[in-house]
């Protein structure tokens, strides 16, 4: 039951973008098209899932035994950067169009505060290895869900008669605010 609560809480009640305001830059930057948003969501999910496993192992089998826990932020950033590089190489080879569509936002996964924040939260919450991977993957799926919903809404808004004064970024921010309020309704679940 604990794992189920982690999954539901991470995806809906404590959505990293909509309730914790982490990862806003890629959220607004990549949410123009559903396909691009889904690709970014998949890339972030992969990076968070693998990094949570590596971070857990490094924290409890290297940093803590050596007494160098103060190095965790630097070590975590290096792990995340290496994984993002791997994702970039794979995407460039497998899907050049998605690689081009993600543009600058793909390497920015390294500095995405949501990815680093989750790595640091895993240590702070003292989850075991399974809970760490489930938590990080669920957070990433919540991030992907928010991206895809926002992209769908933005695509839909392009087809409607939005007043000229609020087209573009203003309507995107208004939509993000309304979406965040909708997700706040889930906070009573967990």
């Amino acid at each position: 039951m604990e794992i189920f609560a982690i999954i539901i809480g991470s995806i809906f009640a404590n959505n990293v973008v909509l309730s914790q305001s982490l990862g806003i830059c890629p959220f607004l930057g990549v949410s123009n098209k559903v396909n691009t948003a889904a690709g970014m969501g998949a890339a972030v999910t992969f990076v968070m899932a693998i990094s949570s496993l590596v971070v857990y192992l490094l924290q409890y089998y290297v940093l803590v035994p050596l007494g160098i826990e103060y190095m965790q932020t630097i070590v975590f950033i290096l792990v995340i950067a290496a994984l993002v590089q791997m994702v970039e190489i794979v995407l460039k080879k497998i899907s050049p169009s998605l690689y081009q569509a993600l543009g600058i936002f793909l390497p920015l996964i390294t500095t995405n505060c949501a990815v680093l924040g989750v790595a640091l939260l895993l240590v702070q919450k003292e989850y075991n290895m399974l809970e760490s991977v489930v938590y990080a993957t669920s957070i990433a799926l919540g991030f992907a869900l928010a991206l895809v919903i926002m992209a769908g809404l933005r695509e839909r808004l392009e087809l409607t008669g939005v007043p000229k004064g609020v087209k573009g970024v203003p309507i995107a921010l208004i939509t993000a605010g309304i979406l965040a309020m909708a997700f706040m309704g889930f906070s009573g679940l967990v």
Side-chain angles (χ1 to χ4, degrees):
M1 191 63 177
E2 176 76 18
I3 297 294
F4 183 70
I6 290 172
I7 293 169
I8 297 300
S10 301
I11 293 174
F12 299 108
N14 297 316
N15 187 286
V16 71
V17 176
L18 300 173
S19 70
Q20 297 177 13
S21 300
L22 296 174
I24 297 293
C25 179
F27 174 71
L28 292 174
V30 182
S31 63
N32 290 326
K33 302 268 184 257
V34 172
N35 291 340
T36 308
M40 177 61 114
V44 169
T45 301
F46 176 79
V47 169
M48 275 197 196
I50 302 299
S51 69
S52 67
L53 181 63
V54 174
V55 159
Y56 179 88
L57 295 172
L58 285 172
Q59 176 70 19
Y60 293 106
Y61 294 105
V62 176
L63 299 176
V64 171
L66 295 175
I68 54 173
E69 296 95 344
Y70 58 88
M71 295 289 293
Q72 70 185 12
T73 304
I74 293 169
V75 170
F76 294 176
I77 289 173
L78 290 173
V79 166
I80 293 164
L83 289 169
V84 169
Q85 282 298 115
M86 187 174 75
V87 167
E88 268 193 276
I89 291 167
V90 168
L91 271 182
K92 193 173 187 177
K93 200 69 156 165
I94 292 175
S95 179
S97 61
L98 180 59
Y99 177 78
Q100 289 293 337
L102 292 175
I104 188 66
F105 294 101
L106 190 56
L108 286 178
I109 293 174
T110 303
T111 58
N112 185 341
C113 55
V115 178
L116 179 60
V118 168
L120 294 171
L121 279 173
L122 294 175
V123 174
Q124 183 183 11
K125 291 180 180 270
E126 298 180 356
Y127 284 144
N128 64 34
M129 188 183 305
L130 175 64
E131 291 171 338
S132 294
V133 173
V134 168
Y135 178 73
T137 304
S138 299
I139 286 284
L141 290 173
F143 179 80
L145 176 67
L147 270 176
V148 170
I149 291 172
M150 183 66 173
L153 291 172
R154 287 179 79 177
E155 281 184 2
R156 179 73 184 205
L157 285 170
E158 289 294 320
L159 302 174
T160 62
V162 177
K164 186 178 179 184
V166 292
K167 276 192 181 231
V169 175
I171 195 68
L173 293 174
I174 291 167
T175 304
I178 293 169
L179 188 57
M181 287 190 293
F183 266 71
M184 284 183 194
F186 292 119
S187 62
L189 292 177
V190 180

